[in-house]
Amino acid sequence: MHSLPSADTDAVFQSYGRCCRNDRFFADFYELFMSKSEAISAVFANTDMPEQRRLLRAGVMWLIMYARGASGGKLRDLGRTHNRHGYNINPAWYGQWLDALVEAVARHDLQYSATLGDQWRRVLAPGVRLISEAY
């Protein structure tokens, strides 16, 4: 079962709401993520970044909802589009993706703490694993 303690998922859901109030959150995330490696940055070279940020906004919500017990259908779809036959996203990059996301949360959520950062990691881990396993 992928459903996590409601204290964790509630805290992350509320934190995400605070982050989403500022569109800069998503731009900062991509700057942080692309700074992790030249290979990651290269993947986004010809990407419509406003559209990519819109997709990220939905994708993070799907990850949170999955942790709350929702179906993983949307995440399985993401896994298929991101696998070796799709965008060919290296599974090793998902850890860096999560690191960048937590770093962006730390910048944008005024209530951020190390405990909240750990909650973000616990809440998103099952969904990120589901996506990366499709590789």
Side-chain angles (χ1 to χ4, degrees), residues 14-83:
Q14 292 166 10
S15 173
Y16 190 49
R18 291 187 295 271
C19 290
C20 286
R21 290 181 190 147
N22 182 350
D23 282 339
R24 186 74 211 159
F25 169 72
F26 300 100
D28 284 353
F29 161 77
Y30 276 109
E31 287 176 13
L32 289 162
F33 185 42
M34 288 189 268
S35 75
K36 301 289 182 195
S37 81
E38 287 183 21
I40 291 171
S41 184
V43 168
F44 294 98
N46 296 307
T47 300
D48 175 350
M49 290 311 292
E51 176 64 6
Q52 189 66 31
R53 289 189 292 271
R54 187 190 68 74
L55 292 169
L56 174 69
R57 185 181 189 116
V60 172
M61 183 57 73
W62 296 339
L63 288 164
I64 295 168
M65 297 311 291
Y66 181 68
R68 293 178 84 147
S71 158
K74 295 278 191 188
L75 299 179
R76 285 184 191 88
D77 290 344
L78 273 176
R80 281 189 290 277
T81 61
H82 287 67
N83 72 16

Side-chain angles (χ1 to χ4, degrees), residues 58-128:
V60 172
M61 183 57 73
W62 296 339
L63 288 164
I64 295 168
M65 297 311 291
Y66 181 68
R68 293 178 84 147
S71 158
K74 295 278 191 188
L75 299 179
R76 285 184 191 88
D77 290 344
L78 273 176
R80 281 189 290 277
T81 61
H82 287 67
N83 72 16
R84 66 178 58 81
H85 306 293
Y87 295 119
N88 196 27
I89 302 303
N90 182 336
W93 293 348
Y94 289 103
Q96 294 168 304
W97 181 92
L98 190 52
D99 289 346
L101 188 65
V102 172
E103 290 169 35
V105 170
R107 284 186 186 180
H108 287 273
D109 184 352
L110 298 178
Q111 297 180 36
Y112 182 82
S113 66
T115 298
L116 183 58
D118 291 342
Q119 287 173 307
W120 267 93
R121 290 179 185 285
R122 277 195 304 273
V123 167
L124 270 53
V128 169

